[in-house]
Amino acid sequence: MPVDLILKNARIYAFGKIVEAGLAVDNGRIVRIAKESNLPSASEKMDLEGLLVLPGLIDVHVHLRDQELSYKEDFYSGTCAAANGGITLVMDMPNNKPITMSAETLRERMEIASGKIVVNVAFYSAFPKEIREMKEIVDAGAKAFKFFLSHKVGGLDPNDEKNTIKAFKEASRLNIPVAVHAEDGALLNESFRRLRSSGREDLDAYLEVHSQEAEVSGIRRAIRLMRNSGAHLHICHVSTSEGLRIIVGAKRSGSSISCETTPHHILLSSQHMREIGPIALVNPPLRNPSETLYLQRALCNGLIDALASDHAPHSLTEKESSSVWEISAGIAGIETMLPLMLTMVNKGLLTIPDLARLMAENPAKIFGFRGRGSIIEGNYADLVVVDLKREWTIDPSEFYSKAKFSPFEGWNVRGKPVKTFVGGNLVMEDGEIVAKPGSGRIIR
Ligand code: DOR
Ligand code: ZN
Ligand code: ZN
């Protein structure tokens, strides 16, 4: 019997290096990586003309919205955007309307998603009000819990230390990671009240509220919670050098901890935010150029585990307000992440193995996606084909995301995802979505 598909004449990132070979896919899995003459016969053959094949990216931090926030993004637009960005699996955040915080809300979200998604989707849940419900949520298929230290999202108030410890202990017992938005809510509130009452409404006031100290304090608290509970801790979007040093220290002393940063935190600084304005407003905010550079170097030096987009789409009106306190924070970054990283590869700042480790291998390891994250025989055929030489200019009007604006607008980049395969099915080809809504899978 011939296999389903052969990708021939490719350069494949496999076995830790780039090999000139072909790849055979059958039943959604990679069945053989070999020179063309050694590949089985196939129903369909695709000539990749020497392009590079990477493992499909796993973006562990995405706000797909939908439901009552569909005007910002929905499962179809968000997963089309993912496919356009070379991402084959996204992890959906719980700060939705309604909030994902029970087995019921999670099942409802999965049900809606199943008819719309074109790439694979896994789900975070917020903590429920009753800690005993955490097991039901995990049984319903949540891959991780997400906890905001900044404000209450879900059933657990981050100021409730006693129950927070209990929730972390339960996550440990259920053997499921807790991802934390580490900004200290008490510090945020205190400076917010002070600055707002003094009449400040400018972008710099926002930076003063969302200070580096707020992140550092949040990270310290998250680590205490992890140590008291044994749960695996994943720190979202690290944006400060001090925060990262603390995480690296904890990891070296044997703690079960991982962290991610984002393309915007390693490529943009507060200076960009002042020039670009609210489109570049995000939590945690863009930092001083020295912090940005520190994080970029740390990423290149292997101190950071993962790169995630924190794709946080909003409507344009929500991004436009004269008072900074009214603006919705967030950057729609899922379609620009891989091109920006390929540009760094072309500049010699990052290598292809780094890229695969940060955006596929480590995300699969941290969140337990078996059979994904690397190109080996037996794994799912989640793949992205990239043209490393393609030079183009980022134009948000071409995004599949409903948020058609970006702080990276007008950037000249080198490198583009040109084909995305999910489970062996072609989903994106040359910027066109060719898969049907509902072709993606929910990963439990
Ligand atoms: O900038 C942000 N936007 N930070 C968050 O933590 C939430 C996110 C959103 O959902 O818009
Ligand atoms: Zn966050
Ligand atoms: Zn987020």
Side-chain angles (χ1 to χ4, degrees):
M1 277 280 280
V3 299
D4 295 334
L5 172 69
I6 276 180
L7 303 178
K8 63 170 197 171
N9 198 7
R11 293 165 64 233
I12 303 171
Y13 180 68
F15 321 111
K17 56 184 188 290
I18 294 169
V19 293
E20 283 182 19
L23 185 151
V25 177
D26 201 39
N27 264 326
R29 302 258 187 176
I30 300 162
V31 291
R32 192 108 169 81
I33 302 159
K35 295 284 171 209
E36 210 185 320
S37 56
N38 295 327
L39 289 173
S41 65
S43 325
E44 192 191 344
K45 276 193 180 182
M46 214 180 267
D47 188 342
L48 294 185
E49 297 172 342
L51 292 177
L52 180 63
V53 185
L54 301 175
L57 306 186
I58 301 174
D59 189 344
V60 301
H61 194 145
V62 177
H63 301 267
L64 286 175
R65 318 284 197 207
D66 208 294
Q67 296 174 289
E68 287 170 51
L69 300 178
S70 290
Y71 68 94
K72 295 178 194 256
E73 195 80 289
D74 61 41
F75 284 115
Y76 182 64
S77 60
T79 55
C80 286
N84 193 32
I87 289 140
T88 53
L89 169 55
V90 307
M91 290 185 75
D92 174 61
M93 283 293 172
N95 57 330
N96 302 301
K97 219 170 165 185
I99 293 168
T100 319
M101 56 181 285
S102 64
E104 195 192 339
T105 48
L106 176 60
R107 278 196 212 102
E108 189 186 347
R109 219 165 147 66
M110 288 175 166
E111 175 70 29
I112 298 167
S114 64
K116 297 190 185 180
I117 55 181
V118 299
V119 303
N120 296 332
V121 178
F123 290 85
Y124 284 95
S125 173
F127 287 133
K129 202 168 164 61
E130 301 295 336
I131 285 160
R132 61 180 156 72
E133 284 176 26
M134 284 172 62
K135 182 172 185 311
E136 286 169 41
I137 295 175
V138 174
D139 290 344
K143 288 297 278 187
F145 285 95
K146 168 72 183 281
F147 190 47
F148 288 82
L149 296 182
S150 48
H151 60 295
K152 186 178 173 194
V153 176
L156 180 61
D157 185 336
N159 295 317
D160 180 348
E161 182 73 5
K162 208 171 112 223
N163 280 312
T164 300
I165 293 173
K166 279 191 191 160
F168 271 68
K169 283 192 171 152
E170 182 64 359
S172 166
R173 195 182 70 83
L174 296 166
N175 198 18
I176 186 168
V178 183
V180 170
H181 177 115
E183 286 187 289
D184 181 324
L187 287 183
L188 293 185
N189 272 330
E190 181 200 297
S191 46
F192 170 66
R193 286 206 193 95
R194 188 164 38 81
L195 284 159
R196 187 171 198 162
S197 62
S198 73
R200 291 278 302 275
E201 300 203 321
D202 54 298
L203 285 166
D204 275 280
Y206 196 91
L207 297 189
E208 280 180 48
V209 170
H210 292 263
S211 63
Q212 300 197 182
E213 293 70 38
E215 173 167 298
V216 169
S217 164
I219 289 173
R220 287 192 203 282
R221 177 165 179 227
I223 290 174
R224 281 198 301 276
L225 289 164
M226 175 263 296
R227 290 208 167 118
N228 280 328
S229 66
H232 179 84
L233 173 66
H234 179 76
I235 303 279
C236 300
H237 44 50
V238 180
S239 70
T240 58
S241 54
E242 175 76 7
L244 182 61
R245 275 192 283 267
I246 295 167
I247 294 165
V248 170
K251 198 189 290 177
R252 292 203 172 131
S253 70
S255 292
S256 183
I257 184 169
S258 54
C259 69
E260 73 191 31
T261 192
T262 70
H264 45 271
H265 288 112
I266 62 163
L267 293 170
L268 301 174
S269 70
S270 47
Q271 208 41 47
H272 291 94
M273 191 199 67
R274 291 183 192 104
E275 283 158 21
I276 298 164
I279 298 288
L281 194 81
V282 62
N283 292 335
L286 304 175
R287 307 293 187 187
N288 306 329
S290 59
E291 294 294 293
T292 308
L293 196 61
Y294 180 93
L295 287 174
Q296 188 179 119
R297 295 214 172 112
L299 185 83
C300 303
N301 293 338
L303 295 179
I304 296 172
D305 303 284
L307 195 75
S309 69
D310 192 4
H311 180 70
H314 295 289
S315 71
L316 190 55
T317 19
E318 290 170 323
K319 296 294 284 177
E320 286 171 333
S321 173
S322 52
S323 165
V324 78
W325 313 119
E326 305 298 323
I327 298 167
S328 298
I331 290 174
I334 203 164
E335 287 168 269
T336 48
M337 178 161 69
L338 178 55
L340 290 166
M341 291 308 111
L342 292 172
T343 306
M344 284 181 69
V345 169
N346 274 312
K347 286 184 178 165
L349 294 167
L350 214 61
T351 65
I352 291 293
D354 290 335
L355 199 152
R357 174 175 48 79
L358 290 163
M359 302 203 279
E361 290 160 14
N362 283 350
K365 271 186 216 153
I366 296 165
F367 292 96
F369 296 112
R370 266 174 289 135
R372 303 184 194 275
S374 54
I375 301 183
I376 47 172
E377 288 168 10
N379 267 8
Y380 292 95
D382 296 344
L383 307 164
V384 54
V385 180
V386 302
D387 182 347
L388 260 175
K389 296 202 179 110
R390 181 88 67 91
E391 292 184 40
W392 57 291
T393 303
I394 292 176
D395 176 0
S397 73
E398 292 174 354
F399 284 177
Y400 282 91
S401 171
K402 293 185 185 181
K404 300 197 190 299
F405 37 84
S406 161
F408 297 108
E409 175 169 6
W411 279 41
N412 295 319
V413 287
R414 187 158 195 231
K416 198 177 205 301
V418 292
K419 285 184 174 60
T420 303
F421 293 89
V422 177
N425 286 324
L426 186 62
V427 173
M428 182 278 286
E429 182 164 38
D430 293 325
E432 295 297 322
I433 301 301
V434 296
K436 287 203 186 72
S439 59
R441 282 173 55 183
I442 288 167
I443 309 299
R444 285 162 217 265

